[in-house]
């Protein structure tokens, strides 16, 4: 496949670029996002304002159908928007979960009334969504969730008790997807049901987790006799795993998403600023980074070719995530080392490459866990790409409440 823009794509790119140049500010460094440096409430307000502007122009959810406020455009056009936007200050980590995962799940399984009332506010940044899958004992093995939803006597409501963890953005979310166990007598995957919940409901307590980079983007979420109306159930009772797979497939569809870590160009600048372009160690790191990034680019081209022919990204996407996250961490470690003793100190200047490196270093560790740990991705590649024998699974086919814990 030829990856040069077609005349129509070139025209679209130019349209997007013109709009961004008129409406957005150029990035000063790789992790330069809208509202950075402002207090949390102002940062959120700035992010919402940017999101509303982008949605009004049609660039917030390019591939969504027009009836939901998208452009009904192709994945390649979505990539064009991402490529162009990556040079400008945008948002990161506030709306992505809603737009990328929760709202597409609502489009697939929500009632007409919920679609009519929830999708546009989510698109325009008025409502924020989070995803509550992981629990203390159910991360990699997410189908092992223990949070329990029981139908109330007359059946119009569910009563939920349990705990989630690592819920990104729960502290400012309006709604959240919730995967709960509705029948523990069935095997693990069969006893799950998906709901969406109003995060401001009585019975939900959100406790922020403090991270090593200083932020608090993740939370523990506790449910104590939370009442959820049955009309907020997504999919059939017991079909929660199927619905969760829809959500996770949309996560995979976010091909080429900007994650704000170090890339080859940023590493080059760091090496150049440190006056180390002649250092053989630096040259080796730069060469390795370039080769890996080029491999990732070609891998992405292959995925896009498949998608443009109607395919969906499969387990081979795990390869890209595994390489990208480990590469980002290697580059960040090297960039820190290159700064010598200064690399061990915190850097207060948000415009300096020092702070970008510091944040990328702290974040790259998380990227090796989020969306599937390295080990889980290797298992997926082994079993589903290479066709190697399956990992032993002790709980297969056994009622969940009889699995030894
Ligand atoms: C940045 C970030 C954002 C996140 N946001 C969300 C969110 O919004 N919502 C949400 O629900 N969750 C979220 N998570 C949680 C994330 O999905 C889990 O952290 C992840 O699935 C791993 O689960 P765990 O932390 O419980 O680790 P565990 O599953 O307990 O794993 C611990 C270690 O054991 C290894 N391991 C586990 N099983 C196997 C196996 N079968 N074979 C080999 N090794 C294995 C793992 O690789 C890991 O090294 C987020 C996590 C991060 C880092």
């Amino acid at each position: 496949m030829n990856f040069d823009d077609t005349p129509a794509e070139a025209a679209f790119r130019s349209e997007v670029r013109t709009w961004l140049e008129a409406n957005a500010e150029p990035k000063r460094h790789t992790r330069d996002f809208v509202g950075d440096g402002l207090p949390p409430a102002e940062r959120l307000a700035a992010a919402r304002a940017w999101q509303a502007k982008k949605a009004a122009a049609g660039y917030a959810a390019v591939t969504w159908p027009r009836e939901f406020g998208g452009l009904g455009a192709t994945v390649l056009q979505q990539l064009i928007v991402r490529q162009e936007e990556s040079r400008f200050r945008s948002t990161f980590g506030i709306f992505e979960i809603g737009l990328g995962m929760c709202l597409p799940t609502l489009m697939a399984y929500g009632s007409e009334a919920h679609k009519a009332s929830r999708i546009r506010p989510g698109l325009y940044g008025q409502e924020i969504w989070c995803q509550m899958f992981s629990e203390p004992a159910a991360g990699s093995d997410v189908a092992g969730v223990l949070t329990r939803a029981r139908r109330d006597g007359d059946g119009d409501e569910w009563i939920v008790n349990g705990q989630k963890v690592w819920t990104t953005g729960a502290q400012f979310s309006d709604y959240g997807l919730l995967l709960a166990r509705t029948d523990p007598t069935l095997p693990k995957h069969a006893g799950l049901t998906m709901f969406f919940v109003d995060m401001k409901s009585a019975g939900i307590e959100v406790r922020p987790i403090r991270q090593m980079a200083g932020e608090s983007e993740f939370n523990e979420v506790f449910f104590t006799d939370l009442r959820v109306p049955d009309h907020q159930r997504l999919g059939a009772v017991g079909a929660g795993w199927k619905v969760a797979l829809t959500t996770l497939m949309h996560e995979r569809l976010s091909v080429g998403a900007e994650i704000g870590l170090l890339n080859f160009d940023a590493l080059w600048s760091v090496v150049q600023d440190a006056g180390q372009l002649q250092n053989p160690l630096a040259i080796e790191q730069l060469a390795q980074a370039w080769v890996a990034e080029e491999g990732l680019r070609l891998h992405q081209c292959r995925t896009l070719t498949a998608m443009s022919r109607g395919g969906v990204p499969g387990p081979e996407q795990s390869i890209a995530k595994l390489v990208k996250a480990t590469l980002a961490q290697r580059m960040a470690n090297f960039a820190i080392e290159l700064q010598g003793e200064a690399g061990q100190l915190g850097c207060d200047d948000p415009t300096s490459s020092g702070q970008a490196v510091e944040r990328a270093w702290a974040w790259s560790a998380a990227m090796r866990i989020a969306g599937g740990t390295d080990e889980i991705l290797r298992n997926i590649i082994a079993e589903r790409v290479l066709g190697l024998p399956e990992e032993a699974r002790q709980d297969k086919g056994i009622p969940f409440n009889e699995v030894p814990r």
Side-chain angles (χ1 to χ4, degrees):
M1 186 167 177
N2 178 1
F3 285 96
D4 293 335
D5 286 344
T6 61
E9 283 159 4
F12 180 71
R13 188 184 291 281
S14 146
E15 215 176 88
V16 175
R17 191 173 294 174
T18 307
W19 186 84
L20 284 164
E21 280 166 357
N23 291 282
E25 290 172 53
K27 254 187 185 170
R28 296 159 298 175
H29 51 83
T30 43
R31 281 190 61 90
D32 188 14
F33 300 113
V34 167
D36 272 2
L38 295 176
E42 288 172 42
R43 178 171 178 254
L44 193 55
R48 285 186 200 274
W50 167 246
Q51 182 66 19
K53 213 179 201 185
K54 213 165 76 166
Y59 297 136
V62 180
T63 54
W64 283 14
R66 284 185 182 273
E67 60 173 307
F68 292 124
L71 286 183
T74 64
V75 178
L76 284 171
Q77 284 172 295
Q78 172 181 292
L79 188 67
I80 288 171
V81 172
R82 289 210 171 117
Q83 284 171 342
E84 294 301 318
E85 195 182 7
S86 68
R87 295 185 296 109
F88 293 86
R89 296 185 90 197
S90 184
T91 59
F92 174 67
I94 299 177
F95 306 110
E96 285 74 6
I97 291 177
L99 296 185
M101 291 174 250
C102 304
L103 292 169
T105 306
L106 193 75
M107 278 179 213
Y109 293 99
S111 67
E112 291 309 314
H114 288 317
K115 284 191 248 184
S117 56
R118 298 277 74 83
I119 288 178
R120 273 193 178 255
L123 183 66
Y124 278 75
Q126 293 149 357
E127 290 177 355
I128 298 174
W129 284 68
C130 63
Q131 174 187 285
M132 295 178 287
F133 287 10
S134 305
E135 298 185 1
S140 300
D141 181 21
V142 68
V145 300
L146 294 170
T147 291
R148 188 77 167 87
R150 288 187 175 80
R151 247 189 216 278
D152 194 17
D154 60 9
D156 284 348
E157 274 192 328
W158 294 80
I159 300 175
V160 180
N161 283 283
Q163 184 201 340
K164 298 289 171 180
V165 71
W166 304 124
T167 314
T168 307
Q171 74 275 37
F172 45 64
S173 286
D174 302 283
Y175 292 93
L177 286 189
L178 167 67
L179 186 63
R181 186 159 305 279
T182 42
D183 190 347
T185 66
L186 294 174
K188 185 161 81 170
H189 295 84
L192 299 170
T193 302
M194 187 74 84
F195 301 89
F196 78 89
V197 298
D198 180 341
M199 294 299 289
K200 307 288 183 282
S201 310
I204 298 189
E205 186 194 348
V206 176
R207 293 188 202 159
I209 296 172
R210 181 125 168 113
Q211 297 148 233
M212 71 171 168
E215 303 111 332
S216 283
E217 282 141 312
F218 314 106
N219 304 270
E220 293 178 292
V221 181
F222 295 86
F223 310 107
T224 309
D225 293 333
L226 165 70
R227 302 188 83 88
V228 182
D230 188 52
H231 59 78
Q232 289 180 200
R233 173 166 46 80
L234 297 175
V237 174
W241 186 244
K242 185 174 157 214
V243 182
L245 290 181
T246 307
T247 313
L248 298 172
M249 189 194 77
H250 281 282
E251 188 173 17
R252 276 204 225 135
L253 280 168
S254 60
V255 176
E258 167 67 24
I259 53 173
L261 296 178
L262 284 187
N263 55 19
F264 173 82
D265 291 341
L267 185 65
W268 177 279
S269 304
V270 171
V271 174
Q272 194 170 36
D273 291 351
Q276 297 288 326
L277 278 176
Q278 305 301 323
N279 176 342
L281 273 179
I283 293 169
E284 189 183 326
Q285 289 291 332
L286 282 167
Q288 283 180 4
W290 189 87
V291 169
E293 271 195 13
E294 187 59 9
L296 282 169
R297 190 185 68 78
L298 294 173
H299 183 80
Q300 186 183 65
C301 289
R302 192 155 60 169
T303 305
L304 289 171
T305 306
M307 288 170 80
S308 68
R309 291 177 184 153
V312 288
E316 70 282 358
Q317 276 303 98
S318 301
I319 299 171
K321 201 266 180 177
L322 184 62
V323 173
K324 204 179 214 172
T326 43
L327 171 68
Q329 192 173 39
R330 210 169 57 226
M331 284 198 267
N333 283 345
F334 181 69
I336 288 275
E337 277 172 24
L338 205 62
Q339 295 173 38
E341 287 172 358
Q344 296 176 33
L345 303 174
C347 175
D348 293 333
D349 177 3
T351 61
S352 75
S353 63
Q355 193 175 80
V357 165
E358 191 184 299
R359 289 169 63 101
W361 178 80
W363 257 100
S364 58
M367 286 301 109
R368 294 184 63 184
I369 300 170
T373 65
D374 287 4
E375 290 77 14
I376 293 302
L377 298 179
R378 287 198 175 96
N379 279 350
I380 293 172
I381 294 164
E383 293 177 17
R384 293 168 57 200
V385 179
L386 302 175
L388 293 172
E390 273 195 15
E391 183 184 7
R393 293 190 170 103
Q394 312 286 349
D395 51 12
K396 210 170 178 177
I398 299 175
F400 187 71
N401 58 4
E402 289 175 24
V403 176
R405 255 182 280 279

